[in-house]
Amino acid sequence: MADADLDPTRLLIVYYSRSGSVEALATAAAQAAREAGAEIRMRRPREVVDAAVMAKVDGWTESAARQNALYEAPTHEDAEWADAILFGTPSYFGAMATELKNYLDLLGPQWKRGALAGKVGGAFAAASWPHGGSEVVTLSLYAPMAHLGMVILPTGYTDAAMLEAGSPYGASAIVGKENRPPRTEDLDAARHQGRRMVAIAGALIAAGEMPCRNGDSKA
C-alpha cells in the first residue's frame, strides 16, 4: 500500500494538439492534479505525416515544434509508470487524432502482459463545432481503455464545473474554425477532471486495488 506523502499518485497525460486548444485543456488538468499532490508527466505523440504535409496548414509546423520542445513523446515506460492515464485529442471527423491512435496501437505488449490493468483512465477532447464530435471521440477512447483493463473514470456531473462545460464523459472545448482558446469554464472542467483522476487513483492505491503498485500485474 502506497504512502501518499512519500509516494504520490502518478498521472500521465497523453494528448495531441495541433493548434494548442487541447494542449490548454491538458495543461489545466495537469496543474490541478499537481496541486492535488500528484506527480505528473505530460506527453505529446509526434506527427505521423511529413514536413511537406504540415507546411500546408497554417501554423502547424510552428505549433508542433513549440510543443515538442516542451513535452517528450510518450513511451511504454510512461504508461507502466502511471497510476492513471488521461488521454486528450481533437475531434477529426468524430475520431481521435491519428497521432494518439498510433500511440495506443503500440501498447500491445502492455496489453499482453496486463501491465495497464487496474490503472485509472479518462479522456477529454476539443472540436470546432458544438456537434463536431467531442463526445463521440471521448467515448471512443473508452474502448481501448477497456481492452487494456483500465478503470474507466468519467467526469459525470460530480462538480459544478461540469454543469457549465464539458460533458459527463470528459472535459471538452468548442473552439470554432479560428481555434479559439478554451473558455474559463472549459478549463475549470479540465481542472476538475485532473483532480478527480488523482482522487480516485489515490483511493484505489490506498485500498490496495492498484495492481501496478502491488506487484500483481504480469509486467
Side-chain angles (χ1 to χ4, degrees):
M1 187 178 301
D3 185 325
D5 293 328
L6 300 176
D7 196 2
T9 301
R10 301 188 291 257
L11 174 64
L12 171 65
I13 301 177
V14 181
Y15 82 94
Y16 181 76
S17 183
R18 184 181 294 179
S19 67
S21 301
V22 178
E23 178 194 12
L25 295 173
T27 300
Q31 178 188 23
R34 192 174 289 112
E35 291 171 354
E39 184 177 353
I40 309 298
R41 290 185 186 179
M42 275 185 62
R43 299 290 188 258
R44 181 184 186 270
R46 298 316 194 233
E47 273 68 25
V48 297
V49 298
D50 61 27
V53 173
M54 294 172 65
K56 295 178 181 178
V57 179
D58 289 343
W60 187 358
T61 300
E62 296 78 10
S63 179
R66 178 188 61 78
Q67 293 180 71
N68 290 344
L70 292 172
Y71 311 113
E72 299 175 21
T75 65
H76 287 173
E77 188 277 330
D78 289 326
E80 297 197 34
W81 165 85
D83 301 311
I85 307 176
L86 186 54
F87 298 100
T89 182
S91 172
Y92 293 149
F93 299 111
M96 74 181 78
T98 302
E99 290 80 1
L100 180 59
K101 181 64 163 56
N102 184 58
Y103 175 66
L104 287 165
D105 286 344
L106 294 174
L107 293 175
Q110 283 63 44
W111 165 79
K112 187 173 183 179
R113 294 187 285 109
L116 305 189
K119 296 176 186 287
V120 176
F124 60 94
S128 295
W129 313 111
H131 300 290
S134 59
E135 292 188 2
V136 172
V137 72
T138 301
L139 285 169
S140 76
L141 279 159
Y142 284 14
M145 287 190 272
H147 281 263
L148 291 164
M150 300 179 73
V151 177
I152 300 169
L153 182 65
T155 48
Y157 294 105
T158 53
D159 187 88
M162 303 314 302
L163 298 173
E164 302 296 333
S167 76
Y169 318 115
S172 65
I174 306 302
V175 299
K177 64 180 180 181
E178 65 273 33
N179 291 313
R180 297 184 303 268
R183 304 173 304 152
T184 298
E185 293 87 349
D186 303 326
L187 298 176
D188 285 343
R191 292 185 186 102
H192 170 62
Q193 188 166 18
R195 288 190 294 267
R196 181 166 164 79
M197 294 285 291
V198 173
I200 300 304
L204 290 172
I205 294 168
E209 295 295 336
M210 183 70 69
C212 64
R213 291 291 187 111
N214 301 333
D216 294 338
S217 75
K218 301 174 185 176

